Amino acid sequence: MKNILIIGATGQIGSELTMLLRKHYQGNVVAGYITGAEPKGELKDSGPSALVDITNPQQIADAVDQFNIDTIYNLAAILSAVAEKKPQLAWKIGLGGLYNTLEVAREKHCAVFTPSSIGSFGGGTPKDKTPQDTIQRPKTMYGVTKVAGELLSDYYFTRFGVDTRSVRFPGLISYVTPPGGGTTDYAVDIYYAAAKKEKFICPIAQGTYMDMMYMPDALRAAIEIMEANPDKLIHRNSFNIASMSFEPDTIYKKIKEYRPDFEMEYQVDPLRQAIAESWPNSLDDTCAREEWGWLPKYDLDAMTRDMLEKLEKRFG
Ligand code: AKB
């Protein structure tokens, strides 16, 4: 039995991960939310929730005490494009929030999962099949908080024995809760446009490759890394994971295979484009495969069929 607190439970990853963890484990799976982003519907009705603002350590500690929490999923984040517009807030939530979480975990003996990102890489990083251990010198505030977060999490493990683990998520694609303010969001928005039979205006330039992943694979990764045998882990914060890498034209052509009338036009957003160009084209996830058996299930074709089916059901 596990008692889990999800901080940021109503966000893009949290809304689905909370539901999956509730199916996966007996015990409390607590949806931590902030004012203005309260859980609704099934997320609200299927289990306990608590007001947990990651910038407020007392709220984290109170929820951990109240529900006897042993594992924290820290999913509070400001995504890359918004973080460039609000760097102070991104630091406060990304790194200040992580510090608060790790301190509570140290005092109350919790394991902690915190996602890192392909955004933790930058200038000087090998672009193709980016290795697990390589140069990480990002130029964005999002990337800075992710690299610092990886280091801080490893520090809490080696110095205090806190069981910290993490994966570097690619762009995550889902039909449930839309992301907000990321560089990879176009790969979600394009499916919404296709399902609504609208023309898609693409903010990322043709030829710009980034790693992407379908949400069911990402959720499985978040659960499997926390269940992995610690004796086999050489790395902890954070593992490269990968399933597919594509550029806008590839996903457009894939959708067109199934919806021949679909149209796309490029209107490049300079901020997102600059961020995308600083990120790897594709990651090498050999260490995740060897150390805890990571294996993606979805490729671009399987994801496209599922996204179109689910979204067209919703939009008619
Ligand atoms: C973003 O685009 O900011 C995120 C990420 C890749 O971390 N989706």
Side-chain angles (χ1 to χ4, degrees), residues 245-301:
S245 165
F246 55 76
E247 54 110 359
D249 209 46
T250 324
I251 186 170
Y252 169 58
K253 286 192 177 128
K254 178 52 75 182
I255 294 173
K256 245 180 131 53
E257 246 177 74
Y258 295 102
R259 302 292 175 265
D261 293 339
F262 182 51
E263 292 300 330
M264 180 172 93
E265 180 190 313
Y266 288 98
Q267 276 178 32
V268 174
D269 168 15
L271 171 63
R272 282 172 211 254
Q273 183 60 28
I275 297 174
E277 280 174 19
S278 76
W279 288 356
N281 296 335
S282 63
L283 301 192
D284 178 347
D285 60 2
T286 308
C287 290
R289 288 172 187 251
E290 287 178 358
E291 290 176 40
W292 50 277
W294 159 247
L295 207 60
K297 288 191 178 153
Y298 284 87
D299 61 11
L300 178 59
D301 189 63

Side-chain angles (χ1 to χ4, degrees), residues 77-194:
I78 303 286
L79 293 184
S80 53
V82 172
E84 277 319 283
K85 291 183 182 145
K86 299 179 181 170
Q88 295 80 3
L89 182 67
W91 177 268
K92 193 173 165 190
I93 290 176
L95 214 61
L98 173 61
Y99 174 76
N100 294 339
T101 305
L102 291 171
E103 270 298 285
V104 171
R106 179 181 67 77
E107 281 170 6
K108 299 179 186 293
H109 311 289
C110 301
V112 180
F113 172 86
T114 307
S116 186
S117 161
I118 53 172
S120 67
F121 298 107
T125 303
K127 281 260 198 207
D128 296 303
K129 288 271 161 211
T130 300
Q132 169 68 38
D133 300 311
T134 186
I135 297 165
Q136 288 181 283
R137 303 287 293 173
K139 292 237 160 41
T140 61
M141 179 51 98
Y142 183 67
V144 168
T145 64
K146 288 302 182 192
V147 180
E150 290 186 10
L151 293 172
L152 192 63
S153 297
D154 270 347
Y155 179 81
Y156 269 71
F157 172 66
T158 45
R159 177 81 167 79
F160 302 120
V162 178
D163 185 1
T164 54
R165 306 182 189 192
S166 170
V167 295
R168 294 179 183 132
F169 277 137
L172 299 183
I173 296 165
S174 150
Y175 57 87
V176 179
T177 307
T183 303
T184 57
D185 293 10
Y186 91 88
V188 178
D189 299 340
I190 193 169
Y191 287 112
Y192 275 76

Side-chain angles (χ1 to χ4, degrees), residues 21-22 28 42 51 85 87 91 108 114 116 124 136 148 159 199 214 233-234 238-240 259 267 299 306 313-315:
L21 290 170
R22 282 180 179 160
N28 290 318
E42 216 192 336
L51 180 66
K85 291 183 182 145
W91 177 268
K108 299 179 186 293
T114 307
S116 186
Q136 288 181 283
R159 177 81 167 79
K199 181 176 183 176
Y214 200 30
L233 298 182
I234 298 163
S238 175
F239 280 95
N240 282 2
R259 302 292 175 265
Q267 276 178 32
D299 61 11
D306 203 47
K313 227 181 250 169
R314 191 183 313 164
F315 297 117

